Amino acid sequence: MDLGAITKYSALHAKPSGLILQYGTAGFRTKAEHLDHVMFRMGLLAVLRSKQTKSTIGVMVTASHNPEEDNGVKLVDPLGEMLAPSWEEHATCLANAEEQDMQRVLIDISEKEAVNLQQDAFVVIGRDTRPSSEKLSQSVIDGVTVLGGQFHDYGLLTTPQLHYMVYCRNTGGRYGKATIEGYYQKLSKAFVELTKQASCGGDEYRSLKVDCANGIGALKLREMEHYFSQGLSVQLFNDGSKGKLNHLCGADFVKSHQKPPQGMEIKSNERCCSFDGDADRIVYYYHDADGHFHLIDGDKIATLISSFLKELLVEIGESLNIGVVQTAYANGSSTRYLEEVMKVPVYCTKTGVKHLHHKAQEFDIGVYFEANGHGTALFSTAVEMKIKQSAEQLEDKKRKAAKMLENIIDLFNQAAGDAISDMLVIEAILALKGLTVQQWDALYTDLPNRQLKVQVADRRVISTTNAERQAVTPPGLQEAINDLVKKYKLSRAFVRPSGTEDVVRVYAEADSQESADHLAHEVSLAVFQLAGGIGERPQPASDGEGTPH
Ligand code: 16G
Ligand code: MG
């Protein structure tokens, strides 16, 4: 390590003294103007992680669905996964070290993790369309270079595309080519082959309106469009040409406000979807003939996908174990439908993609989705090989199903939840099954629900267990929730400290919207009283309050 050079460059990316930031559920996120030193230091850390794992590491500059003025950064581990937990701690230490302590922290990390400093390092970098992103990614590059790392700057990419690049590079090209062309070709080829098998089809099934949140998804979908145009025609809205990123549009807005984005005209029964600001989340929706808005969230996406996969497996005659992974936010109706009607085992993990991803890896086929639209399906290597063999050997009908599965495996981004890839999978399934958006929606009816947030002095006083479904501390809180829940039918409620904001989140569902709203409000009051609420007492829910993530 050239400590002299590090000190010199670090001074050019100096940390505002006293500023403390946390590597949260999805990396660092805050106002862009506070992030320059964090970017530089994450460049340094990525080099150490790359040397330790002898693999390519990714650095993504984005704040996803957060406002345009924010930014953020996260590291991507060798197989496209989120950074290992012990390294999240290192990231927090390094980002918060005052200038004079930075070198010591860097050396500490190298020693603790037994990093061989002679090892080569390679880092790939991507960024979203925020005005601050280009300069911030340059600061990452400064960090990488000063520690002697090599790098490739992909420039503008969706978050899942960067995960894909990292995965490709660390698997010797077996997964795909680590270029944007490679990504487009792999996905489109699988999509076109898959949809060729659809016997019905016709235009009504094959056109889709996409709200791109005024973000990177618009750019990338436009680039990709001509690769799959035979199979699907997409109409892009909120493509960044006028509106502000994530403002009154995008998957997060649509999901949390349960209404359509601005800037998109929807005719009745037209199929529409929204991406978030870095295109790793997707939700669908439509207006029925009476003008009512219907949201089709991550839970219903998981249901469509897992039931289709299960049908194909039955056709091939393979008894592979398939599991669906959700979080506490999954609508109770979706869990019941999956378990009781589809007979698929369902598991619940803590919020945050890394937890779901990890659990999904335990199955031959693991489908995971958060209700907010973040998810994918993972196929074990053994399954992939078995399917490939079946596609060669089986007799006609079975072979067709195996071929479809093979295409689906290629179409899913196995490195991360990916709005583009999920959209293509969903469109293919709808076409193959001849389903309209209303028929898909009718699989089950969501229980009315409400999310609220409560301000407390220190949200760490709330600790949870059982995948965040029960509060362990402060004392008495869970008992209070239990008593409140008993007052309503088909009800459920839980509270958890947010991993991305300084608030406690409250979720409630019940047999009617009114009951769900009441329950959420009462639980908020319990949190306010028992967990050290600050500011104004929680008010009863009104539309648009309690924006979830
Ligand atoms: C992050 C997570 C998302 C989760 C959300 C919860 C990733 C890539 N993103 O955005 O999955 O739903 O945090 O936020 O893991 P919260 O802790 O503030 O509720
Ligand atoms: Mg996102």
Side-chain angles (χ1 to χ4, degrees), residues 25-26 74 82 351-353 370 372 374 496 498-500 505 549:
T25 320
K74 71 175 177 189
M82 304 292 169
T351 301
V353 170
E370 290 191 308
N372 64 23
H374 202 149
R496 54 177 283 279
S498 158
T500 63
R505 297 202 193 281
H549 314 123

Side-chain angles (χ1 to χ4, degrees), residues 28 67 117 157 162 175 200 236 260 295 322:
F28 293 101
L117 294 170
L157 281 189
L162 182 77
Y175 183 64
C200 44
L236 308 193
L295 175 70
I322 173 166

Side-chain angles (χ1 to χ4, degrees), residues 213-322:
N214 289 316
I216 181 74
L219 256 75
K220 296 297 155 181
L221 203 49
R222 191 149 280 151
E223 275 172 21
M224 187 176 186
E225 211 177 345
H226 67 271
Y227 288 84
F228 60 69
S229 54
Q230 303 144 274
L232 173 71
S233 114
V234 288
Q235 230 183 311
L236 308 193
F237 296 85
N238 299 321
D239 64 354
S241 53
K242 346 185 245 290
K244 212 173 165 187
L245 178 69
N246 296 326
H247 183 61
L248 305 176
C249 61
D252 192 63
F253 173 86
V254 172
K255 166 76 182 158
S256 46
H257 295 260
Q258 312 243 342
K259 61 180 179 204
Q262 279 196 1
M264 185 168 182
E265 206 182 290
I266 308 176
K267 298 200 195 85
S268 70
N269 295 330
E270 262 178 350
R271 205 166 57 249
C272 308
C273 69
S274 285
F275 292 2
D276 74 338
D278 62 342
D280 62 359
R281 270 161 67 169
I282 184 168
V283 293
Y284 270 71
Y285 45 92
Y286 69 99
H287 273 149
D288 64 21
D290 299 328
H292 290 130
F293 175 77
H294 294 254
L295 175 70
I296 303 182
D297 65 3
D299 302 336
K300 224 164 240 177
I301 294 175
T303 308
L304 178 78
I305 291 169
S306 50
S307 58
F308 187 67
L309 291 174
K310 204 174 161 191
E311 276 170 33
L312 289 182
L313 291 177
V314 169
E315 220 155 277
I316 306 169
E318 285 286 355
S319 62
L320 296 167
N321 82 45
I322 173 166

Side-chain angles (χ1 to χ4, degrees), residues 59-72:
V59 180
M60 183 71 199
V61 177
T62 180
S64 181
H65 56 277
N66 293 111
E68 186 167 286
E69 301 71 33
D70 289 8
N71 217 322

